[in-house]
Amino acid sequence: MERTLSLIKPDGVAKNIIGEVIKRFETAGIKVVAMKKLHLSQKQAEGFYAVHKERPFFKSLTEFMTSGPIVAMVLEGEDVIAKNRKLMGATNFKNAEEGTIRRDYATDIEKNVVHGSDAPETAAFEIAYFFSMMEIVG
Ligand code: GDP
């Protein structure tokens, strides 16, 4: 069993598709073992995306991520890091496969509805960024 962090970004929450995203996880056999809705501060968004701080889109990305509430979830399942990335689709929705969340709902490369950890090390950091051990109920 593996765990990963999933975020429904402000554009996804604004589109009222929280349930639709969760339905796709559950249909794929993925279990939601923790969940909360929150509104990130600029500092919290910068800490979460620290690996991207030298990228030209860092300021824009962190401002977008603080523009409205998000939903954070811990997902659990076999190979869930890769499975979630597959359900999400490519970063740029124009390159995302048919039937993926980003292909169906993203509007640009930045406003791409969902985040998902990309490796076990990032998953561990990102889960701990949002959740304490007691908030994760497997
Ligand atoms: P992900 O793992 O698919 O989310 O992609 P990355 O880790 O490469 O980038 C993190 C997030 O930054 C993406 O999900 C987008 O929201 C945003 N992003 C990535 N590339 C660009 C870009 O070229 N321009 C802008 N404005 N945002 C980007």
Side-chain angles (χ1 to χ4, degrees):
M1 277 299 162
E2 194 174 64
R3 285 177 175 171
T4 191
L5 183 86
S6 167
L7 299 179
I8 304 178
K9 297 183 180 186
D11 59 326
V13 172
K15 285 192 172 91
N16 227 13
I17 54 168
I18 296 169
E20 172 63 29
V21 171
I22 293 172
K23 192 176 86 179
R24 291 181 185 215
F25 296 152
E26 292 184 336
T27 301
I30 293 169
K31 205 167 144 188
V32 178
V33 293
M35 177 161 63
K36 63 174 90 170
K37 188 177 188 185
L38 68 155
H39 196 144
L40 288 174
S41 69
Q42 185 64 26
K43 272 218 161 74
Q44 289 168 334
E46 287 172 6
F48 181 71
Y49 278 120
V51 289
H52 292 312
K53 68 174 182 291
E54 307 303 334
R55 309 283 276 279
F57 56 82
F58 182 68
K59 187 168 185 288
S60 171
L61 173 63
T62 53
E63 284 175 1
F64 161 56
M65 289 301 289
T66 60
S67 66
I70 63 169
V71 171
M73 284 172 272
V74 179
L75 306 180
E76 185 179 87
E78 206 176 303
D79 208 18
V80 73
I81 295 174
K83 258 191 201 160
N84 179 42
R85 299 282 301 184
K86 199 160 171 54
L87 291 173
M88 288 163 54
T91 308
N92 186 344
F93 73 103
K94 291 180 182 160
N95 305 326
E97 275 181 49
E98 293 275 346
T100 58
I101 296 168
R102 285 168 165 172
R103 177 64 175 257
D104 290 345
Y105 296 107
T107 46
D108 71 46
I109 189 164
E110 182 176 272
K111 295 173 183 62
N112 58 5
V113 186
V114 278
H115 167 87
S117 314
D118 62 3
E121 306 73 46
T122 45
F125 167 78
E126 292 178 355
I127 289 169
Y129 201 81
F130 282 93
F131 295 95
S132 71
M133 266 170 59
M134 285 174 68
E135 293 175 308
I136 303 171
V137 184

